[in-house]
Amino acid sequence: MPRHQFAKAVWQEENAMEAADFRQLLQDNPKLQQWIDQSQTLTVNVIHTDTSQAGSEVLWGSLIYKQSSQARDVRDVFHFYVSPELLVTSTVDFEEDMDMPRHLMIKQMENADSSIEVMMILLGGMVGSVLHKIDNFEERLHELLWNIKEHNNRKTLEKIEGVRHEILLWKHLIMGFREISMVVEETFGGNVREYREYERTSRRIDRCVMLVDSYEDEINNMVDMENVVANYRGNEIVKTLTVLTTLFTPVMAWGALWGMNFRIMPELDLRYGYVMSLAVILLSTFLLYLYFKQKGWTGDILRSFDDRREANKKQD
């Protein structure tokens, strides 16, 4: 498999971790062999270190660097073993576009001071690919912000839940990069901060974390806004139904009274009983309406009716 020999570093790519060549490149360590055996079934990030010998520290593990937002089991895993002299990895799925151009990254590795820095260049390319995808996510998030204002309905809420799930996946993905950045310093000492590529990749990871945290706050605010609007609309609907039901109470009450079938009912013999009953019903309803208006219980409802009427006129 490809072996890249640089001035101060070596990077060996291997297709299959379980192959004999891959095992021969690594130290005789039970934890390493166990990690190789379990590598095909890993579903989470795994990081191990061996710092028992000063100056011969090693770091190995597996990193999920791509995750589909549509399918749980669709993911790309990066397996790595790094020491100051040697970097052994599984084959990297380079994206031959603006995200991870293989030839430019290998050219960048030629100036690396150690295999640790080559490792950070690889991580930097992966994080750059994540950043590019987050930019596309930002465009959809911006469109969703305006949909909340213009088309606030069930479909919009479903879209909010969709982007909320997606941002959680981004956050989980970036946590793996951030952990490796911290473990590299923990394993090889604070001197790695002097590596230019370590500093560059660490800042790129921090930028990813900042963006994802900011977008998460925006999504949470959208959810809160949606809940406020939904609660307001629900309260207005209940209030409208309550007022309308109460306003029709006189009609139902007087209608029930005069709809009785008693043999002796004085009102039945009145010459103008029908007109008088209508007058009593209308007067009772009007007095009840005046009471509601005085209490301020109908103002918002009437204004919403007027607003809808004006909107319909404009559409016509």
Side-chain angles (χ1 to χ4, degrees):
M1 290 306 296
R3 181 181 177 89
H4 307 281
Q5 183 76 46
F6 305 111
K8 299 180 181 180
V10 178
W11 173 30
Q12 179 82 25
E13 284 186 275
E14 293 291 336
N15 268 338
M17 287 186 61
E18 64 274 11
D21 292 341
F22 193 98
R23 294 179 184 270
Q24 291 175 1
L25 290 168
L26 310 183
Q27 294 180 353
D28 186 13
N29 186 313
K31 289 184 178 180
L32 270 169
Q33 303 305 320
Q34 183 182 14
W35 164 64
I36 295 174
D37 294 335
Q38 297 176 348
S39 63
Q40 299 302 315
T41 58
L42 290 175
T43 58
V44 296
N45 297 323
V46 176
I47 300 178
H48 296 287
T49 63
D50 184 356
T51 58
S52 58
Q53 297 182 12
S56 300
E57 296 88 353
V58 292
L59 167 67
W60 70 90
S62 302
L63 169 70
I64 299 173
Y65 68 100
K66 288 183 185 178
Q67 173 68 63
S68 171
S69 60
Q70 306 299 326
R72 176 185 297 183
D73 298 327
V74 178
R75 63 175 69 90
D76 290 341
V77 183
F78 172 63
H79 306 288
F80 60 91
Y81 168 92
V82 59
S83 68
E85 300 81 19
L86 175 66
L87 171 64
V88 184
T89 71
S90 57
T91 302
V92 180
D93 181 20
F94 286 96
E95 300 178 10
E96 296 297 337
D97 55 19
M98 61 180 4
D99 295 337
M100 294 174 62
R102 183 185 182 94
H103 66 287
L104 292 180
M105 292 183 66
I106 292 179
K107 183 177 180 180
Q108 187 177 357
M109 294 173 184
E110 294 175 355
N111 299 320
D113 292 330
S114 71
S115 296
I116 301 171
E117 199 166 16
V118 173
M119 172 71 173
M120 298 309 295
I121 292 174
L122 285 174
L123 290 180
M126 295 174 187
V127 177
S129 176
V130 172
L131 279 170
H132 183 246
K133 292 178 176 62
I134 289 178
D135 289 339
N136 296 331
F137 172 82
E138 183 180 7
E139 294 179 5
R140 292 189 287 112
L141 185 63
H142 178 74
E143 182 179 355
L144 184 58
L145 283 170
W146 284 101
N147 282 342
I148 292 178
K149 177 180 175 62
E150 298 171 356
H151 308 287
N152 195 348
N153 50 34
R154 181 179 178 181
K155 290 184 178 180
T156 302
L157 182 60
E158 291 176 353
K159 290 180 180 179
I160 292 176
E161 291 303 318
V163 297
R164 194 177 196 180
H165 173 259
E166 192 170 347
I167 203 67
L168 289 176
L169 289 177
W170 286 124
K171 195 168 187 177
H172 182 265
L173 197 68
I174 294 168
M175 283 173 58
F177 291 105
R178 194 173 194 182
E179 183 182 8
I180 290 180
S181 176
M182 297 171 67
V183 174
V184 166
E185 183 177 353
E186 172 190 337
T187 304
F188 300 106
N191 293 334
V192 296
R193 294 182 181 178
E194 299 176 2
Y195 292 151
R196 178 176 54 187
E197 298 301 336
Y198 176 85
E199 181 70 17
R200 180 177 293 162
T201 299
S202 296
R203 290 184 178 276
R204 189 172 292 177
I205 293 172
D206 291 340
R207 181 154 60 98
C208 256
V209 172
M210 181 273 295
L211 287 174
V212 170
D213 287 343
S214 298
Y215 294 153
E216 186 179 29
D217 290 340
E218 286 187 25
I219 294 171
N220 289 334
N221 289 334
M222 283 193 289
V223 172
D224 293 339
M225 185 186 305
E226 185 69 21
N227 289 334
V228 169
V229 172
N231 291 333
Y232 175 77
R233 287 180 173 176
N235 292 336
E236 285 299 303
I237 291 172
V238 172
K239 182 179 176 181
T240 301
L241 293 175
T242 302
V243 170
L244 291 177
T245 301
T246 307
L247 286 176
F248 281 97
T249 298
V251 178
M252 294 183 290
W254 291 113
L257 177 63
W258 288 317
M260 295 178 181
N261 295 321
F262 292 112
R263 181 169 299 179
I264 300 175
M265 293 185 66
E267 294 88 345
L268 296 178
D269 297 329
L270 295 177
R271 183 176 182 180
Y272 299 103
Y274 179 72
V275 177
M276 291 176 60
S277 64
L278 290 178
V280 171
I281 291 174
L282 293 175
L283 180 62
S284 302
T285 304
F286 181 70
L287 291 175
L288 191 59
Y289 167 75
L290 290 180
Y291 178 77
F292 282 174
K293 187 173 182 181
Q294 183 180 4
K295 291 292 186 179
W297 295 346
T298 62
D300 291 340
I301 296 175
L302 294 179
R303 279 197 292 272
S304 63
F305 288 160
D306 292 338
D307 292 341
R308 282 195 288 270
R309 191 182 303 113
E310 291 296 330
N312 292 332
K313 288 182 179 179
K314 290 181 180 179
Q315 292 178 357
D316 295 339

